[in-house]
Amino acid sequence: MSGDRTPDVVDLLSRGELTVRGQVREASNAVLFCSVAYEGERTDCVYKPVRGERPLWDFPDGNLARREVAAYELSEATGWGLVPPTVLREGPYGEGMVQLWVEADPSAALLALVDDEEAGEGWKAVGPAQVAEDRTALLVHADTPQLRRMAVLDAVINNGDRKGGHLLPVPDGRLYGIDHGVSFHVDDKLRTLLWGWAGEELTEEATAVLDRLGGRLAPGTPLAERLAALLTGAEVDALRERVAVLRRTGRHPVPSGQWPAIPWPPV
């Protein structure tokens, strides 16, 4: 059932028995590959226990697991379904984030390096990339509605780590984003490979979504209450302000110049 998005999946992730099957070794924090089973249903998932997180100097408040859940809450509030179902719960190694495992389609190309000055049809330019000591190429990303929605979501949550490997296209055409632990900072820390629309007008769809989201984030609303349990008050206020700025300007953000705009490593 990997890739399904229904309330039953959230219930399964929340209440099912977690069994650790392995570990994702290349991750900077503890990432455990698990199965979860409940009332005859079973699926694969990722479990990131809080105790396996490395402390970050610029994210001293709260933990990364709660930020991952907050990103799912925001994704659901937009109606775009860009983050796999994610819950906060107890597991074999204590409290942590549990997220539905999504198998990416390896044939789907979202990023590329081209030996040209222009991105070409169907692509958006990010900027030059050093690919060898004496050679540069143009880094580009696909120009698709799904990827553009992801760029808007990243601007909303202030994603500080939108690497290429954190984008998971699936065979049915959907796109998921993962690894949102370094999001929701009160300062502008947007780092992403999706700068191709920087400064461009938001789509009518995005504008309508942001208008609805602004209302759903008002103090005392169910969404605001759920986020208050996951983030600090200052972070929730900063989230509201980012949405307000996007609605006011009507444009995709541009790099601030005060923070590296591209994550490292980029993939």
Side-chain angles (χ1 to χ4, degrees), residues 112-138:
L113 290 167
V114 297
D115 293 314
D116 206 333
E117 295 182 357
E118 301 293 334
E121 186 176 355
W123 297 88
K124 301 290 287 188
V126 179
Q130 192 80 32
V131 295
E133 187 173 331
D134 58 349
R135 175 174 169 252
T136 61
L138 183 65

PDB file of all heavy atoms in Angstrom, residues 112-138:
ATOM      1  N   ALA A 112      18.579  18.022 -13.941  1.00  0.00           N
ATOM      2  CA  ALA A 112      19.543  17.681 -14.984  1.00  0.00           C
ATOM      3  C   ALA A 112      20.621  18.752 -15.059  1.00  0.00           C
ATOM      4  O   ALA A 112      20.448  19.875 -14.585  1.00  0.00           O
ATOM      5  CB  ALA A 112      18.840  17.532 -16.336  1.00  0.00           C
ATOM      6  N   LEU A 113      21.755  18.379 -15.654  1.00  0.00           N
ATOM      7  CA  LEU A 113      22.828  19.313 -15.981  1.00  0.00           C
ATOM      8  C   LEU A 113      22.936  19.374 -17.492  1.00  0.00           C
ATOM      9  O   LEU A 113      23.038  18.337 -18.154  1.00  0.00           O
ATOM     10  CB  LEU A 113      24.145  18.844 -15.364  1.00  0.00           C
ATOM     11  CG  LEU A 113      24.255  18.931 -13.843  1.00  0.00           C
ATOM     12  CD1 LEU A 113      25.459  18.145 -13.355  1.00  0.00           C
ATOM     13  CD2 LEU A 113      24.367  20.387 -13.397  1.00  0.00           C
ATOM     14  N   VAL A 114      22.902  20.570 -18.048  1.00  0.00           N
ATOM     15  CA  VAL A 114      22.934  20.720 -19.502  1.00  0.00           C
ATOM     16  C   VAL A 114      24.090  21.637 -19.898  1.00  0.00           C
ATOM     17  O   VAL A 114      24.411  22.593 -19.195  1.00  0.00           O
ATOM     18  CB  VAL A 114      21.600  21.289 -20.046  1.00  0.00           C
ATOM     19  CG1 VAL A 114      20.464  20.325 -19.765  1.00  0.00           C
ATOM     20  CG2 VAL A 114      21.292  22.656 -19.451  1.00  0.00           C
ATOM     21  N   ASP A 115      24.706  21.303 -21.006  1.00  0.00           N
ATOM     22  CA  ASP A 115      25.799  22.127 -21.543  1.00  0.00           C
ATOM     23  C   ASP A 115      25.225  23.186 -22.473  1.00  0.00           C
ATOM     24  O   ASP A 115      25.420  23.157 -23.694  1.00  0.00           O
ATOM     25  CB  ASP A 115      26.796  21.235 -22.283  1.00  0.00           C
ATOM     26  CG  ASP A 115      27.538  20.304 -21.351  1.00  0.00           C
ATOM     27  OD1 ASP A 115      28.006  20.774 -20.304  1.00  0.00           O
ATOM     28  OD2 ASP A 115      27.633  19.101 -21.667  1.00  0.00           O
ATOM     29  N   ASP A 116      24.509  24.119 -21.886  1.00  0.00           N
ATOM     30  CA  ASP A 116      23.873  25.175 -22.672  1.00  0.00           C
ATOM     31  C   ASP A 116      23.628  26.361 -21.756  1.00  0.00           C
ATOM     32  O   ASP A 116      23.669  26.239 -20.531  1.00  0.00           O
ATOM     33  CB  ASP A 116      22.551  24.671 -23.253  1.00  0.00           C
ATOM     34  CG  ASP A 116      22.155  25.409 -24.530  1.00  0.00           C
ATOM     35  OD1 ASP A 116      22.580  26.573 -24.674  1.00  0.00           O
ATOM     36  OD2 ASP A 116      21.428  24.827 -25.349  1.00  0.00           O
ATOM     37  N   GLU A 117      23.347  27.502 -22.341  1.00  0.00           N
ATOM     38  CA  GLU A 117      23.059  28.697 -21.548  1.00  0.00           C
ATOM     39  C   GLU A 117      21.581  28.819 -21.221  1.00  0.00           C
ATOM     40  O   GLU A 117      21.201  29.630 -20.372  1.00  0.00           O
ATOM     41  CB  GLU A 117      23.531  29.950 -22.298  1.00  0.00           C
ATOM     42  CG  GLU A 117      25.038  30.017 -22.482  1.00  0.00           C
ATOM     43  CD  GLU A 117      25.479  31.287 -23.184  1.00  0.00           C
ATOM     44  OE1 GLU A 117      24.584  32.075 -23.576  1.00  0.00           O
ATOM     45  OE2 GLU A 117      26.700  31.500 -23.323  1.00  0.00           O
ATOM     46  N   GLU A 118      20.737  28.064 -21.888  1.00  0.00           N
ATOM     47  CA  GLU A 118      19.297  28.109 -21.668  1.00  0.00           C
ATOM     48  C   GLU A 118      18.812  26.746 -21.176  1.00  0.00           C
ATOM     49  O   GLU A 118      19.385  25.707 -21.523  1.00  0.00           O
ATOM     50  CB  GLU A 118      18.562  28.484 -22.954  1.00  0.00           C
ATOM     51  CG  GLU A 118      18.958  29.835 -23.531  1.00  0.00           C
ATOM     52  CD  GLU A 118      18.539  31.001 -22.656  1.00  0.00           C
ATOM     53  OE1 GLU A 118      17.551  30.830 -21.898  1.00  0.00           O
ATOM     54  OE2 GLU A 118      19.178  32.063 -22.719  1.00  0.00           O
ATOM     55  N   ALA A 119      17.729  26.771 -20.404  1.00  0.00           N
ATOM     56  CA  ALA A 119      17.221  25.532 -19.819  1.00  0.00           C
ATOM     57  C   ALA A 119      16.570  24.631 -20.857  1.00  0.00           C
ATOM     58  O   ALA A 119      16.619  23.405 -20.748  1.00  0.00           O
ATOM     59  CB  ALA A 119      16.219  25.851 -18.706  1.00  0.00           C
ATOM     60  N   GLY A 120      15.930  25.214 -21.851  1.00  0.00           N
ATOM     61  CA  GLY A 120      15.231  24.409 -22.846  1.00  0.00           C
ATOM     62  C   GLY A 120      13.777  24.200 -22.467  1.00  0.00           C
ATOM     63  O   GLY A 120      13.365  24.387 -21.306  1.00  0.00           O
ATOM     64  N   GLU A 121      12.970  23.804 -23.426  1.00  0.00           N
ATOM     65  CA  GLU A 121      11.538  23.639 -23.214  1.00  0.00           C
ATOM     66  C   GLU A 121      11.263  22.548 -22.176  1.00  0.00           C
ATOM     67  O   GLU A 121      11.852  21.468 -22.229  1.00  0.00           O
ATOM     68  CB  GLU A 121      10.846  23.280 -24.528  1.00  0.00           C
ATOM     69  CG  GLU A 121       9.335  23.224 -24.422  1.00  0.00           C
ATOM     70  CD  GLU A 121       8.670  22.961 -25.757  1.00  0.00           C
ATOM     71  OE1 GLU A 121       9.401  22.909 -26.778  1.00  0.00           O
ATOM     72  OE2 GLU A 121       7.439  22.809 -25.783  1.00  0.00           O
ATOM     73  N   GLY A 122      10.371  22.858 -21.243  1.00  0.00           N
ATOM     74  CA  GLY A 122      10.009  21.901 -20.209  1.00  0.00           C
ATOM     75  C   GLY A 122      10.908  21.916 -18.994  1.00  0.00           C
ATOM     76  O   GLY A 122      10.720  21.114 -18.078  1.00  0.00           O
ATOM     77  N   TRP A 123      11.879  22.850 -18.974  1.00  0.00           N
ATOM     78  CA  TRP A 123      12.831  22.928 -17.864  1.00  0.00           C
ATOM     79  C   TRP A 123      12.964  24.378 -17.395  1.00  0.00           C
ATOM     80  O   TRP A 123      12.697  25.307 -18.147  1.00  0.00           O
ATOM     81  CB  TRP A 123      14.201  22.398 -18.292  1.00  0.00           C
ATOM     82  CG  TRP A 123      14.177  20.960 -18.675  1.00  0.00           C
ATOM     83  CD1 TRP A 123      13.911  20.443 -19.912  1.00  0.00           C
ATOM     84  CD2 TRP A 123      14.398  19.848 -17.812  1.00  0.00           C
ATOM     85  NE1 TRP A 123      13.958  19.070 -19.874  1.00  0.00           N
ATOM     86  CE2 TRP A 123      14.261  18.679 -18.599  1.00  0.00           C
ATOM     87  CE3 TRP A 123      14.705  19.716 -16.457  1.00  0.00           C
ATOM     88  CZ2 TRP A 123      14.413  17.401 -18.073  1.00  0.00           C
ATOM     89  CZ3 TRP A 123      14.863  18.441 -15.929  1.00  0.00           C
ATOM     90  CH2 TRP A 123      14.722  17.306 -16.723  1.00  0.00           C
ATOM     91  N   LYS A 124      13.406  24.540 -16.149  1.00  0.00           N
ATOM     92  CA  LYS A 124      13.671  25.861 -15.585  1.00  0.00           C
ATOM     93  C   LYS A 124      15.105  25.884 -15.070  1.00  0.00           C
ATOM     94  O   LYS A 124      15.588  24.923 -14.463  1.00  0.00           O
ATOM     95  CB  LYS A 124      12.713  26.168 -14.426  1.00  0.00           C
ATOM     96  CG  LYS A 124      11.250  26.127 -14.804  1.00  0.00           C
ATOM     97  CD  LYS A 124      10.842  27.273 -15.710  1.00  0.00           C
ATOM     98  CE  LYS A 124      10.763  28.574 -14.990  1.00  0.00           C
ATOM     99  NZ  LYS A 124      10.196  29.662 -15.820  1.00  0.00           N
ATOM    100  N   ALA A 125      15.787  27.000 -15.314  1.00  0.00           N
ATOM    101  CA  ALA A 125      17.186  27.123 -14.919  1.00  0.00           C
ATOM    102  C   ALA A 125      17.308  27.471 -13.437  1.00  0.00           C
ATOM    103  O   ALA A 125      16.588  28.321 -12.919  1.00  0.00           O
ATOM    104  CB  ALA A 125      17.877  28.193 -15.762  1.00  0.00           C
ATOM    105  N   VAL A 126      18.235  26.791 -12.750  1.00  0.00           N
ATOM    106  CA  VAL A 126      18.562  27.104 -11.360  1.00  0.00           C
ATOM    107  C   VAL A 126      19.814  27.954 -11.308  1.00  0.00           C
ATOM    108  O   VAL A 126      19.877  28.974 -10.618  1.00  0.00           O
ATOM    109  CB  VAL A 126      18.765  25.810 -10.541  1.00  0.00           C
ATOM    110  CG1 VAL A 126      19.127  26.132  -9.095  1.00  0.00           C
ATOM    111  CG2 VAL A 126      17.513  24.936 -10.597  1.00  0.00           C
ATOM    112  N   GLY A 127      20.861  27.555 -12.052  1.00  0.00           N
ATOM    113  CA  GLY A 127      22.097  28.311 -12.080  1.00  0.00           C
ATOM    114  C   GLY A 127      23.251  27.433 -12.498  1.00  0.00           C
ATOM    115  O   GLY A 127      23.106  26.220 -12.673  1.00  0.00           O
ATOM    116  N   PRO A 128      24.440  28.026 -12.679  1.00  0.00           N
ATOM    117  CA  PRO A 128      25.613  27.247 -13.094  1.00  0.00           C
ATOM    118  C   PRO A 128      26.093  26.337 -11.972  1.00  0.00           C
ATOM    119  O   PRO A 128      25.995  26.668 -10.793  1.00  0.00           O
ATOM    120  CB  PRO A 128      26.648  28.319 -13.435  1.00  0.00           C
ATOM    121  CG  PRO A 128      26.226  29.506 -12.620  1.00  0.00           C
ATOM    122  CD  PRO A 128      24.739  29.459 -12.540  1.00  0.00           C
ATOM    123  N   ALA A 129      26.619  25.182 -12.366  1.00  0.00           N
ATOM    124  CA  ALA A 129      27.149  24.213 -11.400  1.00  0.00           C
ATOM    125  C   ALA A 129      28.524  23.759 -11.868  1.00  0.00           C
ATOM    126  O   ALA A 129      28.733  23.502 -13.056  1.00  0.00           O
ATOM    127  CB  ALA A 129      26.207  23.024 -11.276  1.00  0.00           C
ATOM    128  N   GLN A 130      29.468  23.682 -10.923  1.00  0.00           N
ATOM    129  CA  GLN A 130      30.812  23.214 -11.241  1.00  0.00           C
ATOM    130  C   GLN A 130      30.783  21.694 -11.295  1.00  0.00           C
ATOM    131  O   GLN A 130      30.563  21.016 -10.286  1.00  0.00           O
ATOM    132  CB  GLN A 130      31.807  23.683 -10.168  1.00  0.00           C
ATOM    133  CG  GLN A 130      33.253  23.490 -10.540  1.00  0.00           C
ATOM    134  CD  GLN A 130      33.759  24.592 -11.463  1.00  0.00           C
ATOM    135  OE1 GLN A 130      33.308  25.727 -11.380  1.00  0.00           O
ATOM    136  NE2 GLN A 130      34.715  24.247 -12.333  1.00  0.00           N
ATOM    137  N   VAL A 131      30.998  21.124 -12.467  1.00  0.00           N
ATOM    138  CA  VAL A 131      30.943  19.667 -12.617  1.00  0.00           C
ATOM    139  C   VAL A 131      32.337  19.062 -12.779  1.00  0.00           C
ATOM    140  O   VAL A 131      32.498  17.854 -12.681  1.00  0.00           O
ATOM    141  CB  VAL A 131      30.055  19.271 -13.813  1.00  0.00           C
ATOM    142  CG1 VAL A 131      28.619  19.675 -13.553  1.00  0.00           C
ATOM    143  CG2 VAL A 131      30.553  19.902 -15.104  1.00  0.00           C
ATOM    144  N   ALA A 132      33.319  19.882 -13.036  1.00  0.00           N
ATOM    145  CA  ALA A 132      34.718  19.452 -13.112  1.00  0.00           C
ATOM    146  C   ALA A 132      35.587  20.676 -12.869  1.00  0.00           C
ATOM    147  O   ALA A 132      35.095  21.806 -12.819  1.00  0.00           O
ATOM    148  CB  ALA A 132      35.036  18.830 -14.478  1.00  0.00           C
ATOM    149  N   GLU A 133      36.885  20.441 -12.701  1.00  0.00           N
ATOM    150  CA  GLU A 133      37.782  21.556 -12.375  1.00  0.00           C
ATOM    151  C   GLU A 133      37.744  22.643 -13.432  1.00  0.00           C
ATOM    152  O   GLU A 133      37.863  23.826 -13.124  1.00  0.00           O
ATOM    153  CB  GLU A 133      39.209  21.018 -12.220  1.00  0.00           C
ATOM    154  CG  GLU A 133      40.187  22.055 -11.709  1.00  0.00           C
ATOM    155  CD  GLU A 133      41.547  21.468 -11.396  1.00  0.00           C
ATOM    156  OE1 GLU A 133      41.607  20.279 -11.041  1.00  0.00           O
ATOM    157  OE2 GLU A 133      42.534  22.214 -11.521  1.00  0.00           O
ATOM    158  N   ASP A 134      37.547  22.252 -14.684  1.00  0.00           N
ATOM    159  CA  ASP A 134      37.557  23.222 -15.768  1.00  0.00           C
ATOM    160  C   ASP A 134      36.243  23.242 -16.551  1.00  0.00           C
ATOM    161  O   ASP A 134      36.217  23.655 -17.713  1.00  0.00           O
ATOM    162  CB  ASP A 134      38.709  22.912 -16.727  1.00  0.00           C
ATOM    163  CG  ASP A 134      38.630  21.513 -17.313  1.00  0.00           C
ATOM    164  OD1 ASP A 134      37.803  20.711 -16.812  1.00  0.00           O
ATOM    165  OD2 ASP A 134      39.384  21.218 -18.259  1.00  0.00           O
ATOM    166  N   ARG A 135      35.160  22.815 -15.911  1.00  0.00           N
ATOM    167  CA  ARG A 135      33.898  22.747 -16.644  1.00  0.00           C
ATOM    168  C   ARG A 135      32.728  23.068 -15.743  1.00  0.00           C
ATOM    169  O   ARG A 135      32.653  22.602 -14.600  1.00  0.00           O
ATOM    170  CB  ARG A 135      33.711  21.349 -17.233  1.00  0.00           C
ATOM    171  CG  ARG A 135      32.366  21.137 -17.918  1.00  0.00           C
ATOM    172  CD  ARG A 135      32.290  19.791 -18.619  1.00  0.00           C
ATOM    173  NE  ARG A 135      30.916  19.519 -19.029  1.00  0.00           N
ATOM    174  CZ  ARG A 135      30.129  18.606 -18.458  1.00  0.00           C
ATOM    175  NH1 ARG A 135      30.597  17.869 -17.467  1.00  0.00           N
ATOM    176  NH2 ARG A 135      28.902  18.413 -18.894  1.00  0.00           N
ATOM    177  N   THR A 136      31.824  23.886 -16.266  1.00  0.00           N
ATOM    178  CA  THR A 136      30.556  24.162 -15.586  1.00  0.00           C
ATOM    179  C   THR A 136      29.409  23.749 -16.497  1.00  0.00           C
ATOM    180  O   THR A 136      29.567  23.641 -17.711  1.00  0.00           O
ATOM    181  CB  THR A 136      30.409  25.651 -15.223  1.00  0.00           C
ATOM    182  OG1 THR A 136      30.439  26.420 -16.423  1.00  0.00           O
ATOM    183  CG2 THR A 136      31.501  26.097 -14.267  1.00  0.00           C
ATOM    184  N   ALA A 137      28.275  23.525 -15.892  1.00  0.00           N
ATOM    185  CA  ALA A 137      27.060  23.187 -16.641  1.00  0.00           C
ATOM    186  C   ALA A 137      25.900  23.922 -15.993  1.00  0.00           C
ATOM    187  O   ALA A 137      26.014  24.451 -14.876  1.00  0.00           O
ATOM    188  CB  ALA A 137      26.822  21.678 -16.646  1.00  0.00           C
ATOM    189  N   LEU A 138      24.796  23.977 -16.693  1.00  0.00           N
ATOM    190  CA  LEU A 138      23.614  24.651 -16.174  1.00  0.00           C
ATOM    191  C   LEU A 138      22.740  23.635 -15.448  1.00  0.00           C
ATOM    192  O   LEU A 138      22.331  22.627 -16.033  1.00  0.00           O
ATOM    193  CB  LEU A 138      22.825  25.299 -17.309  1.00  0.00           C
ATOM    194  CG  LEU A 138      21.584  26.115 -16.902  1.00  0.00           C
ATOM    195  CD1 LEU A 138      21.998  27.325 -16.075  1.00  0.00           C
ATOM    196  CD2 LEU A 138      20.796  26.535 -18.133  1.00  0.00           C
TER     197      LEU A 138
END
